């Protein structure tokens, strides 16, 4: 079971926590940082996250590869657009299988189309 601080991450449809953040939470560890991908406007979602944690928004990257970082005293959150037409396509394009999981923030559903959770359990 994944325990997410729901006060920090707005439960917006099309917003997913991904990668190492999910791996760490499944292992019972507190993530050093959080990675979020969104189907819609990353900057708008970042502003919501920043407001919820009294953080500030920093834009990084190139115009075609924008990464929005939200920083506060206690958290560091990277937010970008989903890479592809769906979260499943994004996950299939990730470099490491155990990082190819997503947690849908609006429903609390774990999305694991590549069997990453099983791989994590076997290590």
């Amino acid at each position: 079971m994944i325990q997410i601080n729901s006060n920090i991450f707005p439960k917006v449809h099309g917003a997913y926590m991904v990668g190492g953040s999910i791996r760490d939470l499944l292992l019972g560890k507190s993530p050093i940082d959080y990675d979020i991908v969104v189907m819609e406007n990353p900057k708008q979602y970042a502003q919501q996250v920043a407001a919820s944690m009294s953080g500030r928004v920093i834009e990084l990257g190139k115009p075609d590869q924008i990464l929005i970082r939200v920083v506060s005293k206690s958290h560091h959150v990277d937010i970008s657009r989903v890479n592809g037409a769906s979260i499943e396509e994004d996950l299939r394009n990730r470099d490491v299988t155990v990082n190819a999981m997503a947690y849908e923030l609006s429903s609390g559903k774990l999305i694991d189309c590549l069997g990453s959770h099983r791989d994590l359990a076997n290590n």
Side-chain angles (χ1 to χ4, degrees):
M1 177 112 175
I2 297 176
Q3 296 294 321
I4 303 284
N5 185 342
S6 60
N7 297 329
I8 296 174
F9 304 107
K11 294 180 178 184
V12 174
H13 180 71
Y16 307 89
M17 184 175 292
V18 295
S21 310
I22 299 303
R23 178 199 63 229
D24 290 349
L25 289 165
L26 287 170
L27 291 172
K29 300 177 182 179
S30 294
I32 295 171
D33 61 0
Y34 295 90
D35 298 310
I36 306 288
V37 296
V38 295
M39 293 299 294
E40 298 296 325
N41 188 332
K43 188 171 184 178
Q44 182 179 14
Y45 189 81
Q47 290 167 340
Q48 293 174 351
V49 171
S52 72
M53 62 186 224
S54 300
R56 61 188 175 102
V57 175
I58 303 166
E59 289 190 45
L60 304 168
K62 302 173 186 176
D64 60 333
Q65 293 179 316
I66 296 293
L67 172 74
I68 311 290
R69 181 165 288 163
V70 179
V71 223
S72 74
K73 290 180 182 178
S74 58
H75 294 88
H76 170 203
V77 181
D78 288 338
I79 302 165
S80 59
R81 187 174 303 273
V82 168
N83 182 14
S86 67
I87 187 61
E88 291 82 8
E89 184 178 344
D90 179 292
L91 296 174
R92 283 191 288 273
N93 290 325
R94 292 189 174 263
D95 58 345
V96 179
T97 305
V98 294
N99 287 347
M101 291 180 279
Y103 177 84
E104 185 174 35
L105 292 166
S106 65
S107 70
K109 176 184 169 188
L110 181 67
I111 300 168
D112 181 14
C113 54
L114 299 175
S116 304
H117 193 195
R118 179 189 65 240
D119 290 347
L120 184 61
N122 289 333
N123 286 324

